[in-house]
Amino acid sequence: MIAHDVHLRIGSLLFEGVDQIDLTGPFEVLSRIPNSTYRIYGKTAEPVRDIKGLRLTPDATLADAPPLDVLHVPGGFGQQALMEDAEVLGWISRQAAGACRIFSVCTGALICGAAGLLKGRRATTHWASFHLLPFFGATPVNQRVVVDGSFVFAAGITAGIDGALRLAAELRGDDAARAIQLYMVYAPEPPFDCGTPETAPPEILQQSREAVRAITAQREETARRVAARLGVVV
Amino acid sequence: MIAHDVHLRIGSLLFEGVDQIDLTGPFEVLSRIPNSTYRIYGKTAEPVRDIKGLRLTPDATLADAPPLDVLHVPGGFGQQALMEDAEVLGWISRQAAGACRIFSVCTGALICGAAGLLKGRRATTHWASFHLLPFFGATPVNQRVVVDGSFVFAAGITAGIDGALRLAAELRGDDAARAIQLYMVYAPEPPFDCGTPETAPPEILQQSREAVRAITAQREETARRVAARLGVVV
């Protein structure tokens, strides 16, 4: 836990093709952390579109971001375009060096990996990309939320809400996180037991894997190049 | 279930002071309903800010919306400004008359109530506003998701995700909803058992009630005026 009188600067990375709930799920929590300032940063200050078209606007540019105490990196298909983007990776790497917590959601973990942050870490990501974590030097851990030192990794998409609440508890204590959870009425009742590859009916898993086959193949190709650059032997 | 070959036009209402996850939680589901078009409508096409500052931009204005098959009404503190807004209430009322499903999240139920849609219905909303439902002629039902005829009511905030998946199942069948749930990796693991007034520690509930006391008092005052207008005797 961080001393309550220490003001926290919290920032999320926003990019074209983000999966919006990787950002907006945690937003609900991060924007309510006591004694903090929360901002969203983009390569430019222009609006971007999420995978399915939601227009989201950064509060400021990467260049205008102060040194952050907490860095949040969401994922989504647009993550691919950042995997070899020196400006973004350099920003993540510099911010992570000074931050007390780094929080990745979904394939945001791959972006952190491309920035060299995953070497030797236990990590998780979306099930469709889980097998790619070793390319970044990480040990994949099949849990919804994985905490490793100053890192919090949330698995796929909606896991960002669980991860953000865990992060809130780490930063400001359990009761602060509980108060946010109560406000958000986060007592989920999923209509089906179908949220993971282990619980989904095989034909639905098969169909879902098929739907992400192309992007997964691209991600694998990029991961191999990143591994070579980072000197990771898989 | 709606015939698979019937294209569905789905629309969300966006307004200044929305609680963003009332919109963005369901967005993740509604934007992935098979054979549908999903758009977000605002009073103007300009960006608005959610309660905590997230900038969201509508796809089009209310006036430009086609007749919708599915109408989604989120909530948030900004709901108050719409309770006597003839333009918005008229739009909701007209759209609801032609829609096959109306889906409210959180205090979006109060907006629907002000549009006269709740009379004689079983409904739910955020716990802090639950006692206001009778002012709109509704019977409050303390469930996370309440389905009454063509209406789906999700309780507070994150309940919108559960409600949207229920709605997806009603529209396109269980397997379509399961596929979306798997993609979203919606197998939640809340860190605390603290998401409802019934489960929260009393001191945290007390503190949370205190935090919404002012807005709740305003909502009550507005609800009384709306009740008088609708001829509802409480």
Side-chain angles (χ1 to χ4, degrees):
Chain A
M1 208 164 98
I2 312 292
H4 285 289
D5 61 351
V6 174
H7 187 83
L8 293 170
R9 285 162 302 186
I10 305 174
S12 293
L13 174 68
L14 174 61
F15 53 88
E16 184 76 27
V18 69
D19 192 323
Q20 62 88 19
I21 210 169
D22 289 10
L23 181 90
T24 58
F27 180 100
E28 200 71 5
V29 179
L30 300 179
S31 63
R32 289 175 172 85
I33 306 263
N35 193 17
S36 72
T37 306
Y38 174 51
R39 292 280 180 276
I40 297 172
Y41 299 99
K43 287 187 75 164
T44 75
E46 294 302 305
V48 299
R49 290 229 184 226
D50 111 301
I51 305 177
K52 300 301 279 184
L54 183 66
R55 269 187 286 182
L56 293 163
T57 307
D59 295 308
T61 65
L62 302 185
D64 287 334
L68 297 171
D69 300 299
V70 178
L71 171 65
H72 164 224
V73 182
F77 295 177
Q79 142 276 337
Q80 268 296 98
L82 303 186
M83 297 295 282
E84 290 159 310
D85 181 319
E87 181 198 357
V88 173
L89 298 182
W91 183 83
I92 289 175
S93 167
R94 285 190 304 277
Q95 289 288 4
C100 68
R101 290 291 187 288
I102 298 101
F103 172 39
S104 84
V105 177
C106 197
T107 50
L110 308 187
I111 307 175
C112 290
L117 303 179
L118 260 58
K119 280 186 174 179
R121 296 211 171 270
R122 302 163 66 252
T124 194
T125 185
H126 193 279
W127 54 261
S129 293
F130 191 71
H131 63 294
L132 301 179
L133 289 170
F135 287 97
F136 307 102
T139 303
V141 178
N142 190 11
Q143 291 174 3
R144 191 158 173 85
V145 177
V146 174
V147 179
D148 183 356
S150 58
F151 282 71
V152 176
F153 299 96
I157 309 186
T158 53
I161 299 173
D162 300 308
L165 285 167
R166 282 282 293 276
L167 177 64
E170 293 224 343
L171 293 170
R172 294 302 191 202
D174 289 358
D175 278 358
R178 282 193 182 99
I180 297 172
Q181 187 178 337
L182 175 60
Y183 169 77
M184 291 169 66
V185 199
Y186 189 51
E189 294 180 12
F192 306 104
D193 185 15
C194 187
T196 65
E198 292 79 10
T199 55
E203 65 280 9
I204 287 178
L205 178 59
Q206 179 59 29
Q207 166 199 330
S208 296
R209 283 201 190 280
E210 201 53 53
V212 295
R213 188 176 300 281
I215 179 78
T216 304
Q218 289 166 31
R219 281 171 167 155
E220 189 173 318
E221 202 176 308
T222 314
R224 286 183 192 282
R225 282 203 302 276
V226 172
R229 171 164 59 79
L230 297 176
V232 173
V233 181
V234 184
Chain B
M1 208 165 99
I2 312 293
H4 286 289
D5 60 350
V6 174
H7 187 84
L8 293 170
R9 285 160 304 185
I10 306 173
S12 294
L13 174 67
L14 173 61
F15 53 89
E16 184 75 27
V18 69
D19 192 323
Q20 62 87 20
I21 209 169
D22 289 10
L23 180 90
T24 57
F27 180 99
E28 200 72 5
V29 179
L30 301 179
S31 64
R32 290 175 171 85
I33 306 263
N35 193 19
S36 73
T37 306
Y38 174 52
R39 293 279 180 276
I40 296 171
Y41 299 99
K43 287 187 76 163
T44 75
E46 295 301 305
V48 299
R49 290 226 183 230
D50 111 302
I51 307 178
K52 299 301 279 184
L54 183 67
R55 269 187 287 183
L56 293 163
T57 307
D59 295 309
T61 65
L62 302 185
D64 287 334
L68 297 171
D69 301 299
V70 179
L71 171 64
H72 164 224
V73 181
F77 295 175
Q79 142 276 338
Q80 267 297 99
L82 303 186
M83 296 295 281
E84 290 158 311
D85 180 321
E87 180 198 357
V88 172
L89 298 183
W91 183 83
I92 289 175
S93 168
R94 284 190 305 277
Q95 288 288 3
C100 68
R101 289 292 187 287
I102 298 102
F103 172 40
S104 85
V105 177
C106 196
T107 50
L110 308 187
I111 308 176
C112 290
L117 303 180
L118 260 56
K119 279 187 174 177
R121 297 211 170 270
R122 301 163 67 251
T124 194
T125 185
H126 193 279
W127 54 260
S129 292
F130 191 72
H131 63 293
L132 300 178
L133 288 170
F135 288 97
F136 308 102
T139 303
V141 179
N142 189 11
Q143 290 174 3
R144 190 157 173 85
V145 178
V146 174
V147 179
D148 182 355
S150 58
F151 282 71
V152 177
F153 299 96
I157 309 187
T158 53
I161 300 173
D162 300 308
L165 286 167
R166 282 282 292 276
L167 178 64
E170 294 225 342
L171 293 170
R172 293 303 191 201
D174 289 359
D175 278 358
R178 283 192 181 100
I180 297 172
Q181 187 178 336
L182 175 59
Y183 169 78
M184 292 169 65
V185 200
Y186 189 51
E189 294 179 12
F192 306 104
D193 184 14
C194 187
T196 66
E198 292 79 11
T199 55
E203 65 280 9
I204 288 178
L205 178 59
Q206 179 58 29
Q207 166 199 330
S208 297
R209 283 202 190 281
E210 201 54 54
V212 294
R213 189 176 300 281
I215 178 79
T216 303
Q218 289 167 30
R219 282 172 167 154
E220 189 172 319
E221 201 176 309
T222 313
R224 287 183 192 281
R225 281 204 302 276
V226 172
R229 171 164 60 78
L230 297 177
V232 172
V233 181
V234 184

